[in-house]
Amino acid sequence: MRAGFPDFRLGNVLATSFTGTLSERHGNAVERIPTPQRLVDWLAVNGLAVDSCTPAQLGLARELRESIHVVATAAAIRAPLPASAVQVINDRSVQGRAAAVLTADGERLWRLGSASPVEDALSVIAADAISVIAGERDGKLALCASPTCQAAFFDTSRSRTRRWCDMNTCGNRQKKARFNAAHRGDPGAAE
C-alpha cells in the first residue's frame, strides 16, 4: 500500500469490505480512504479499477459507505432500515452503468463505463450491499464484538457464530487484552 496510509482491511464481501474503509468507528477512527487517490487504490484492489477520482466522487463514496454501514448494522440487529440510508444505496445502485463480463477462465469481471467509472464502481458496491442486506446470499450480517469497532460483516462460517470482523485485528486485540488482564490478576478488565 502507499506509504503513510493505513493498509486496507479486505474481506470476501465487497460491500462490507467497503464499509471497512473506516474502522474503529467507536474508538480512534481510522480513515482508509482519506484522499481521492486512496479510493482509486481501494477500487483497483477490489477489481473496480478507475483512472482518477474527484473530491466530489470521494464524497459520494463516503456517503455510500456510511449508508451501507447504517443499513447493514440495522439489518444485523433486526431493526428497521433507515429510509434515508436505503435511498442513498438505491440511488448509487441505479446511477451506474457497470456490466458484468465473463472471462475465458470463467471468472466475472466488472466493465466500467468511460463516462463515469467511479459512479459505475459505486453502483457495483451498492448492488452488492443490496444483495447482502436482502438476504440473497448464504450467510448472515453480524456486528464485530470489539467495543471500539462494531463493524458490520457478513458471516459465512458454518455455525454463523463468528464474533470478529477480522480475527487478525479485532479478534487478536481482544484476545491479547484478555490474556494481559488475566496475567495482571484482573480477568474482567478485558471484557
Side-chain angles (χ1 to χ4, degrees):
M1 291 303 130
R2 291 181 187 257
F5 292 111
D7 288 339
F8 296 131
R9 294 172 73 180
L10 303 175
N12 295 327
V13 176
L14 182 64
T16 55
S17 290
F18 188 56
T19 65
T21 61
L22 180 63
S23 58
E24 297 299 312
R25 292 168 185 268
H26 301 281
N28 294 323
V30 178
E31 176 62 73
R32 296 174 192 283
I33 53 170
T35 65
Q37 183 57 51
R38 282 304 278 172
L39 177 59
V40 170
D41 296 342
W42 187 89
L43 291 170
V45 167
N46 286 280
L48 297 167
V50 299
D51 292 332
S52 64
C53 175
T54 67
Q57 290 169 322
L58 176 61
L60 290 175
R62 288 181 176 164
E63 179 185 39
L64 175 61
R65 174 187 70 192
E66 295 312 301
S67 295
I68 294 170
H69 174 71
V70 167
V71 172
T73 297
I77 63 172
R78 292 183 165 73
L81 305 182
S84 60
V86 168
Q87 188 63 51
V88 168
I89 294 168
N90 289 338
D91 288 348
R92 292 290 87 72
S93 179
V94 300
Q95 288 175 350
R97 298 190 182 273
V101 294
L102 187 63
T103 69
D105 298 332
E107 293 184 30
R108 180 192 66 196
L109 294 180
W110 288 101
R111 180 175 297 148
L112 307 179
S114 59
S116 58
V118 171
E119 286 81 356
D120 290 351
L122 296 179
S123 77
V124 171
I125 297 166
D128 189 64
I130 291 167
S131 174
V132 168
I133 294 163
E136 296 177 350
R137 297 192 193 162
D138 187 26
K140 75 170 191 167
L141 280 164
L143 299 179
C144 183
S146 168
T148 60
C149 179
Q150 297 181 354
F153 66 91
F154 195 62
D155 182 3
T156 58
S157 68
R158 189 175 297 236
S159 64
R160 306 291 193 262
T161 58
R162 202 172 108 200
R163 296 188 60 208
W164 317 108
C165 64
D166 184 357
M167 190 61 213
N168 292 324
T169 53
C170 292
N172 281 342
R173 188 178 315 126
Q174 292 300 309
K175 285 183 175 191
K176 182 178 178 181
R178 282 196 307 272
F179 176 82
N180 289 337
H183 281 76
R184 284 191 309 263
D186 186 10
E191 296 301 317

